[in-house]
Amino acid sequence: MDQRRLILVLVFLFSTVMLWNAWLQHNRPAPTAPVPAATGVEGASVPTPTPSASAVRGAAIPGAAAAIAPATAAPRVTVRTDLMVAEVSAQGGDIVRLELIEHKGSADETKNFVLFDDGAKHIYAAQTGLIGDGLPTHKTVFELPAGEQILKEGEDTVTLRLEAPEQNGVKVAKLMTFHRGNYTVDVKYEINNAGASPIAPHAYFQLTRDGQPAETVEAFGVNTFFGPAFYTEEEKFQKVKFEDIEKGKAKFAKKAGDGWVAMVQHYFVSAWLPEGAGEREFFAQKVGPDLYSSGVILPVAAIQPGQSGAVEARLYAGPQEQNKLENIAPGLDLVVDYGWLTVIAAPLFWVLSWVHNLVGNWGWAIIIVTVLIKLLFFPLSAASYKSMAKMRVLGPRMQRLKELYGNDKAKMQQEMMEMYRKEKINPLGGCLPILVQIPVFISLYWVLLGSVEMRHAPWLGWIQDLSAKDPYFILPIIMGVSMLVQMKLNPTPPDPIQAKVMMAMPVVFTFMFLWFPSGLVLYWVVNNILSIAQQWQITRMIEGGKSGAKPA
């Protein structure tokens, strides 16, 4: 197969993949509405997981099916900070609704993004409780403080204190501390044993939600991950699918001396992060129709009569900001999903972030990184363009071979290879830029789709969201024109059908790129412009040298 046909095949295959991806995006069925959970009716059975007896000493963890029903009448208290608005229910002290002030809604950018939801679109809550006779669970009704709890100017934290009804002489308070400038909430239980017997409770911290993704993105046949995830130092990062939980086939570390549990979705994550090292047990279970819980169980040191004890864990609920996640907990930055090209996408995002810190705009960062990528592969692309320029010069001779040996394909191929050998031309050289560009292109696609930093990030003028399509299709049209110019610089295929197909490629790509993230199209436009400049200069040098002119 000659060089032109190989390029044609590669472009065709790449176009097919891109069209397939666009078709998947266009025809993906809309997510179904979540099935409401049970409403906690008296006498209703509450499903329970079954951790090992050694971990909880035979106690059962109350399930979540009746915990966050939208119909519950439990009162709430609102906590406001500079980054979030949280609604905490008296039932269990659960965070049943959470708005992220600095991130706008996907469908309506005039509203804040809602992570935890009480049933408006999804069922999703952060829940905690204690395991032990008479101890408060996430179904216990706590006493709430009066009025909104607001993080005031000059204060770094605001603490919400909830009191549980006393049982068997044991008093329990749940303290939730919200911080200025971050998405971490410290959750602590203070346990005062005024009873006659020692107690050895356990605490559980869980995330409960429906199985419907808030946002779903499918790229090149692969979806961004959505569901529970676990991390331990020994087993590392483990993702769990909801369907595996339902079938009882979920595989993850059940016991460890470290680690955390998270609920991952596109752009955002919530995670329970126990402090330090110590015994803990992880669990994941289905607790109702289209409703799942995943969490961690922590032991509490035995509390003698007249003594007090405490247990606590941190909750992170916010965006997947990679430079911050890695400093919050080991491995937490792994929740960012870059698909199957993470090995390229992760360093690419690091370079983009570094440039962004210098220029302060993600659009200009993409342009600068495109230039850097072009410089990195300059020798490779230069060799390729030289090969294509020489092929262009040899066009008349190749046409002559076709006239002489058109009916003898084997002889024609033999003469062409002999000509390539004498002229020192690599017939496959023109394929290298395409082969190099494809993985970088797909990696940048995942970076734009998977990095919350790109979400609603403006460039200039009409481009106000680099992760969304160009609203006026200006960049895709410029990209199509640039591809057409590139085609004109390439040697014309001797086969008329090949020539027509190659000239149709700019139209096909322009159509596909109409719906691609504008940041991705920006990369392709800049790359094409740089390629045109490089290819034009090399072609001018080669053709000038063949005509007797001294190359520059």
Side-chain angles (χ1 to χ4, degrees):
M1 181 182 293
D2 60 38
Q3 180 254 10
R4 291 181 300 275
R5 289 185 178 181
L6 183 57
I7 292 178
L8 183 61
V9 169
L10 288 172
V11 173
F12 175 76
L13 291 175
F14 185 53
S15 303
T16 302
V17 171
M18 303 298 283
L19 285 170
W20 172 250
N21 180 70
W23 185 88
L24 288 174
Q25 292 276 41
H26 183 268
N27 294 279
R28 184 194 327 114
T32 58
V35 180
T39 58
V41 179
E42 290 186 14
S45 61
V46 179
T48 58
T50 54
S52 65
S54 61
V56 298
R57 302 187 185 182
I61 304 171
I68 49 175
T72 181
R76 301 180 183 183
V77 61
T78 300
V79 181
R80 296 182 182 272
T81 73
D82 57 327
L83 295 181
M84 60 177 66
V85 178
E87 292 185 17
V88 180
S89 173
Q91 181 174 295
D94 301 339
I95 303 179
V96 294
R97 195 172 191 277
L98 183 69
E99 295 183 17
L100 306 182
I101 296 174
E102 292 192 348
H103 295 269
K104 301 307 177 183
S106 301
D108 186 354
E109 294 186 21
T110 63
K111 298 180 180 180
N112 296 330
F113 181 82
V114 177
L115 184 58
F116 295 150
D117 197 345
D118 57 359
K121 291 185 178 180
H122 296 276
I123 296 175
Y124 188 8
Q127 304 173 313
T128 66
L130 296 177
I131 302 168
D133 186 27
L135 296 178
T137 70
H138 64 277
K139 292 185 64 181
T140 300
V141 177
F142 285 74
E143 182 181 344
L144 298 177
E148 285 190 347
Q149 306 296 300
I150 301 175
L151 181 64
K152 300 177 182 178
E153 289 293 332
E155 296 181 348
D156 292 327
T157 63
V158 57
T159 299
L160 178 66
R161 185 181 180 91
L162 311 175
E163 300 283 348
E166 181 178 340
Q167 292 286 336
N168 303 323
V170 179
K171 296 181 180 180
V172 177
K174 180 177 180 179
L175 285 71
M176 307 174 70
T177 301
F178 297 77
H179 301 264
R180 180 180 298 278
N182 67 56
Y183 296 94
T184 303
V185 181
D186 299 330
V187 179
K188 180 180 181 180
Y189 281 98
E190 293 181 348
I191 308 168
N192 181 18
N193 184 11
S197 303
I199 57 175
H202 282 72
Y204 63 94
F205 302 85
Q206 67 183 18
L207 299 160
T208 300
R209 70 157 298 158
D210 59 52
Q212 301 298 323
E215 294 181 0
T216 182
V217 173
E218 190 166 15
F220 303 98
V222 181
N223 287 295
T224 50
F225 176 70
F226 161 66
F230 300 84
Y231 179 88
T232 66
E233 190 62 34
E234 182 177 353
E235 300 292 338
K236 302 305 180 184
F237 187 61
Q238 301 166 293
K239 298 187 289 188
V240 177
K241 297 180 179 179
F242 287 124
E243 51 263 37
D244 290 338
I245 297 175
E246 187 166 7
K247 296 176 182 177
K249 297 180 179 180
K251 296 181 179 180
F252 55 93
K254 302 299 192 297
K255 291 184 180 181
D258 53 37
W260 44 261
V261 57
M263 190 69 73
V264 183
Q265 68 183 62
H266 190 216
Y267 289 136
F268 301 94
V269 63
S270 60
W272 283 112
L273 311 167
E275 293 284 358
E279 177 189 356
R280 64 201 65 183
E281 182 169 354
F282 299 103
F283 64 91
Q285 59 179 341
K286 183 177 181 181
V287 294
D290 194 35
L291 196 63
Y292 305 85
S293 287
S294 57
V296 59
I297 306 165
L298 302 178
V300 182
I303 305 174
Q304 300 298 322
Q307 301 294 317
S308 298
V311 62
E312 61 183 310
R314 290 180 300 158
L315 170 68
Y316 179 86
Q320 297 175 9
E321 297 174 332
Q322 298 169 67
N323 60 334
K324 297 179 181 179
L325 292 180
E326 60 185 1
N327 296 322
I328 294 175
L332 191 56
D333 57 311
L334 297 175
V335 299
V336 181
D337 188 10
Y338 284 146
W340 53 278
L341 277 173
T342 299
V343 67
I344 299 177
L348 181 60
F349 176 79
W350 183 89
V351 175
L352 273 170
S353 299
W354 182 80
V355 175
H356 174 262
N357 290 335
L358 297 178
V359 300
N361 182 282
W362 285 106
W364 294 115
I366 290 173
I367 293 175
I368 293 172
V369 169
T370 305
V371 175
L372 293 176
I373 292 174
K374 198 65 179 175
L375 289 174
L376 178 64
F377 294 107
F378 182 86
L380 184 64
S381 57
S384 172
Y385 293 143
K386 286 179 182 178
S387 177
M388 296 180 71
K390 290 179 180 179
M391 294 281 289
R392 181 184 175 96
V393 171
L394 294 178
R397 292 172 61 181
M398 294 179 66
Q399 184 64 33
R400 178 61 179 165
L401 289 177
K402 182 181 178 182
E403 294 172 357
L404 291 174
Y405 307 107
N407 295 326
D408 189 346
K409 298 296 184 182
K411 181 64 175 177
M412 180 178 174
Q413 190 72 15
Q414 180 182 352
E415 292 295 327
M416 286 177 60
M417 296 307 296
E418 179 64 20
M419 181 176 64
Y420 293 154
R421 187 187 64 80
K422 289 181 179 180
E423 297 294 336
K424 298 180 180 180
I425 295 175
N426 179 7
L428 300 181
C431 303
L432 293 177
I434 297 176
L435 294 176
V436 170
Q437 221 175 167
I438 288 176
V440 175
F441 173 85
I442 297 175
S443 298
L444 184 60
Y445 191 8
W446 277 106
V447 167
L448 289 168
L449 293 180
S451 301
V452 69
E453 291 85 350
M454 301 289 181
R455 186 176 186 264
H456 297 159
W459 175 39
L460 54 78
W462 75 103
I463 302 295
Q464 293 299 309
D465 185 356
L466 288 165
S467 68
K469 69 178 182 180
D470 184 333
Y472 303 110
F473 308 118
I474 296 174
L475 283 178
I477 293 174
I478 296 175
M479 188 277 304
V481 173
S482 67
M483 282 194 70
L484 184 62
V485 174
Q486 276 190 298
M487 292 298 179
K488 292 293 185 180
L489 290 174
N490 291 337
T492 303
D495 187 339
I497 297 180
Q498 287 187 34
K500 290 180 180 179
V501 172
M502 292 295 286
M503 292 306 296
M505 285 298 107
V507 177
V508 174
F509 270 64
T510 299
F511 176 78
M512 291 189 301
F513 277 58
L514 292 176
W515 317 107
F516 276 30
S518 54
L520 188 68
V521 185
L522 177 62
Y523 158 78
W524 200 266
V525 167
V526 175
N527 183 76
N528 280 0
I529 293 173
L530 295 174
S531 297
I532 289 171
Q534 185 180 12
Q535 189 173 359
W536 178 82
Q537 174 63 14
I538 290 174
T539 300
R540 187 179 66 87
M541 291 171 59
I542 296 296
E543 292 184 348
K546 290 293 180 180
S547 64
K550 184 179 180 180

